[in-house]
């Protein structure tokens, strides 16, 4: 008699939820016995949308990506509000906070990432090296650092509630960091009526994604929305004031160059670090994240896997095996995590059925980064360090084209190799960015006259006449790989709103950057058959 393959999943964020969803057929058949240890006491939700929730632009129901009831009806066990505290690799069991031990044949870590707490006088931050974890495991494993009143990160619903209170009270919010998440929050909060100041030590916003020109145009756009932007300022300390209950509460951010910035709430948006403390304590190889083969299997233990924000995929070689520092890092994006989850679920389903999957783990290209905000469109991908006037002997076939109109907050930079687009940045040019995204994903060549690309945001451009943009095979949602044709099929079945299409196809349920394009496809489909469009 065959026994079910026992799988324990640690983490129930959007990547964990996708893994559960894809594995349910094998659970229903009895081939897999699945236990999910969720950590949080709520249903799985899309953390990418936490910033929107924090300013009241979306409800929790619209963020949910898991379905605990369906999973449990299929036979899975989903444990909300408990966390794994340790892994016993020899016995193949994990211990959880309620004292129970769970046995596994395969252990999947989908523990995600935590917000970085920068070094600031007045804010305690903990090391999570092996010595610290062994000494303070009860305080560090599956727990975030406690922050003083008036200081928060933005990773979960509790963080979002603190921000929402400040936004609704139209208080002064200081955002420390100028990455995508911090800027999306700053823009949404400012739009909702809060006073917002962004402080960062780089030369311009989104320094990891934009070159100097694109960053300067973005900074000007932020300032026109009423956001104060303070660049080249490294935060050094925080000061506190007494609150109504006699406790201390954030009052001021002090920078190394002497600035004293008063506020009611300090939001830390200084990047994230993978939650790999369980792996570290268990003796697994970790670097930035949990180190796994391209098959998502741990370098250290063939029974343990990692997916999503905690997984650092590195092909093991004799040379790399002996190195302390390893290349790469987790992608930090929801699309690659979802593809890993789907692949691993298929591999386990095949294993439980006694077969081997022939499909390869998806190979990811550089991810397209989008800043999602009203009236500010930013899209970037690839290496943009090249300058149009470089004389680079190492890249004789590389060309750089640049167009800038800072007065009207518009900027485009395109980098090609043998005519093929390898990177671009676009600010304030949404249709041009959409066309460049298509070319980048298809590894298509740019026209010899690069200025033709700019026509997409010109006054005479009619998107309905652009057959390529609405070709059935054109991808609209990159996170889930949903095409124009699939959206049109969904619309023909009665799904005439962006939300309905999302429920049917998953399009728009990842980063959300494609919702405008989905609405365009729906509007065009409605016009074609004469029915009214309901894309709100």
């Amino acid at each position: 008699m065959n026994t079910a393959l026992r799988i324990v999943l640690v983490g129930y964020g959007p990547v964990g939820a996708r893994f559960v969803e894809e594995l349910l057929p094998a659970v229903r058949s009895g081939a897999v016995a699945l236990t999910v240890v969720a950590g949080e006491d709520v249903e799985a939700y899309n953390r990418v949308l936490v910033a929107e929730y924090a300013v009241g632009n979306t409800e929790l129901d619209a963020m949910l990506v898991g379905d605990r009831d369906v999973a449990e009806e299929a036979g899975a066990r989903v444990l909300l509000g408990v966390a794994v505290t340790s892994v016993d690799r020899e016995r193949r069991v994990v211990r959880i906070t309620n004292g129970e031990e769970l046995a596994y044949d395969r252990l999947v870590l989908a523990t995600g990432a935590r917000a970085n707490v920068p070094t600031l006088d007045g804010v305690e931050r903990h090391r999570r090296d092996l010595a610290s974890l062994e000494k303070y495991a009860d305080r560090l494993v599956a727990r975030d650092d406690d922050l003083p009143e008036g200081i928060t990160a933005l990773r979960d619903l509790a963080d979002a509630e603190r921000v929402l209170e400040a936004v609704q009270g139209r208080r002064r919010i200081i955002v420390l960091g100028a990455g995508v998440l911090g800027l999306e929050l700053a823009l949404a909060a400012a739009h909702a009526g809060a006073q917002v100041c962004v402080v960062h030590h780089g030369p311009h916003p989104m320094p990891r994604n934009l070159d100097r020109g694109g960053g300067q145009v973005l900074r000007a756009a932020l300032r026109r929305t009423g956001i104060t932007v303070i660049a080249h300022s490294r935060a050094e300390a925080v000061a506190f004031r007494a609150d109504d209950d006699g406790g201390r509460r954030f009052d001021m951010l002090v920078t190394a160059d002497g600035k004293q910035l008063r506020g009611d709430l300090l939001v830390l948006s200084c990047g994230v670090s993978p939650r790999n403390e369980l792996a570290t304590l268990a003796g697994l190889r970790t670097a930035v994240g949990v180190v796994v083969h391209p098959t998502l299997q741990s370098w250290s233990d063939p029974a343990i896997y990692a997916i999503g924000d905690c997984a650092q995929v590195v092909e093991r070689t004799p040379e790399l095996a002996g190195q302390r520092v390893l290349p790469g890092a987790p992608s930090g994006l929801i699309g690659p995590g979802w593809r890993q989850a789907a692949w691993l679920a298929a591999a386990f389903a095949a294993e439980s059925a006694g077969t081997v999957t022939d499909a390869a783990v998806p190979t990811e290209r550089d991810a397209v980064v989008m800043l999602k905000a009203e009236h500010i469109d930013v899209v970037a991908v690839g290496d943009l360090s090249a300058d149009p006037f470089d004389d680079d002997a190492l890249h004789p076939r590389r060309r750089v084209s640049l167009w800038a109109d800072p007065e009207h907050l518009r900027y485009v930079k395109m980098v090609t190799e043998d005519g093929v687009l390898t990177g671009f940045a676009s600010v304030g040019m949404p249709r041009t960015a959409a066309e460049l995204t298509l070319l980048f994903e298809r590894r298509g060549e740019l026209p010899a006259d690069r200025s033709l690309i700019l026509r997409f945001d010109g006054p005479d451009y009619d998107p309905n006449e652009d057959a390529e943009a609405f070709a059935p095979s054109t991808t609209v949602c990159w996170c889930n790989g949903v095409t124009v044709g699939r959206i049109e099929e969904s619309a023909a079945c009665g799904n005439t709103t962006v939300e309905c299409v999302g429920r049917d196809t998953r399009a728009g349920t990842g980063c959300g950057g494609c919702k405008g394009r989905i609405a365009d496809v729906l509007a065009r489909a409605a016009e074609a058959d004469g029915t009214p469009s309901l894309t709100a």
Side-chain angles (χ1 to χ4, degrees), residues 377 403 410-412 414 421 424 426-440 442 445-471 474 517 520:
D377 298 281
W403 179 83
R410 309 209 306 176
Y411 179 90
V412 178
M414 299 167 280
L421 189 66
F424 73 89
S426 171
V427 181
M429 303 281 282
R431 289 172 176 165
T432 298
E435 178 66 15
L436 290 172
T437 301
L438 291 175
L439 288 170
F440 177 79
R442 294 177 175 179
E445 289 193 23
L446 264 64
D449 182 357
R450 305 289 196 258
S451 67
L452 293 175
I453 293 291
L454 305 178
R455 80 184 192 279
F456 292 102
D457 282 289
D460 299 326
Y461 174 68
D462 182 358
N464 289 313
E465 296 178 359
D466 189 347
E468 184 71 8
F470 292 96
T474 295
R517 284 275 292 129
D520 289 343

Side-chain angles (χ1 to χ4, degrees), residues 213-477:
Q216 298 287 41
V217 172
L218 174 57
R219 183 174 68 178
L222 293 169
R223 286 176 170 167
R224 287 195 194 177
T225 67
I227 296 173
T228 301
V229 182
I230 300 177
H232 298 289
S233 285
R234 186 178 296 275
E236 193 170 68
V238 294
F240 298 91
R241 65 177 182 268
D243 60 22
D244 296 338
D245 298 326
R248 67 172 194 166
R249 185 176 186 86
F250 169 75
D251 180 57
M252 180 190 301
L253 179 69
V254 181
T255 65
D257 55 352
K259 294 183 178 69
Q260 298 181 354
L261 307 168
R262 290 188 178 276
D264 299 301
L265 180 69
L266 175 63
V267 181
L268 305 178
S269 186
C270 305
V272 298
S273 296
R275 297 179 184 271
N276 58 15
E277 61 267 21
L278 273 177
T280 300
L281 270 176
L284 301 179
R285 180 66 191 272
T286 60
V288 178
V290 182
V291 181
V292 295
H293 297 284
T295 57
L296 307 175
Q297 189 176 46
S298 166
W299 276 21
S300 310
D301 190 327
I304 299 179
Y305 296 74
I307 54 177
D309 284 355
C310 70
Q312 181 173 352
V313 180
V314 184
E315 180 78 61
R316 179 168 182 157
T317 65
E319 180 183 3
L320 287 177
Q323 292 185 6
R324 182 171 176 271
V325 178
L326 296 176
S331 73
L333 298 171
I334 195 168
W338 274 345
R339 288 185 280 276
Q340 289 177 350
W343 183 90
L344 188 60
F348 285 156
E351 179 185 357
S352 67
T355 60
V356 178
T357 179
D358 294 328
V361 181
T363 301
E364 301 290 342
R365 297 190 69 194
D366 288 341
V368 178
V369 175
M370 301 180 184
L371 178 66
K372 300 174 290 299
E374 286 194 51
H375 312 306
I376 296 183
D377 298 281
V378 180
V379 183
V381 66
D383 181 4
L384 300 173
S385 59
D387 186 89
F389 309 105
D390 285 344
D391 183 13
D392 191 346
L394 294 177
H395 301 277
R397 305 192 68 81
R398 183 167 65 187
R399 299 290 182 268
V400 181
S401 302
L402 186 152
W403 179 83
D405 181 10
E407 179 183 358
H408 298 99
L409 306 178
R410 309 209 306 176
Y411 179 90
V412 178
K413 182 176 183 178
M414 299 167 280
V415 182
T416 60
E417 193 83 30
D418 279 330
V420 176
L421 189 66
T422 59
F424 73 89
S426 171
V427 181
M429 303 281 282
R431 289 172 176 165
T432 298
E435 178 66 15
L436 290 172
T437 301
L438 291 175
L439 288 170
F440 177 79
E441 292 293 337
R442 294 177 175 179
R443 294 174 170 81
E445 289 193 23
L446 264 64
D449 182 357
R450 305 289 196 258
S451 67
L452 293 175
I453 293 291
L454 305 178
R455 80 184 192 279
F456 292 102
D457 282 289
D460 299 326
Y461 174 68
D462 182 358
N464 289 313
E465 296 178 359
D466 189 347
E468 184 71 8
F470 292 96
S473 61
T474 295
T475 301
V476 175
C477 175

Side-chain angles (χ1 to χ4, degrees), residues 1 66-67 94 119 144 153 157 176 209 226 321 392 404 420 424 447 481 511:
M1 179 177 178
D67 196 327
V94 298
T119 302
D144 292 338
L157 296 178
L176 182 57
N209 312 110
D392 191 346
V420 176
F424 73 89
C511 73

Side-chain angles (χ1 to χ4, degrees), residues 165-178:
E165 181 184 0
V167 169
Q168 291 176 337
R170 300 201 169 189
R171 300 192 179 107
R172 297 168 299 176
I173 299 175
I174 298 175
V175 179
L176 182 57

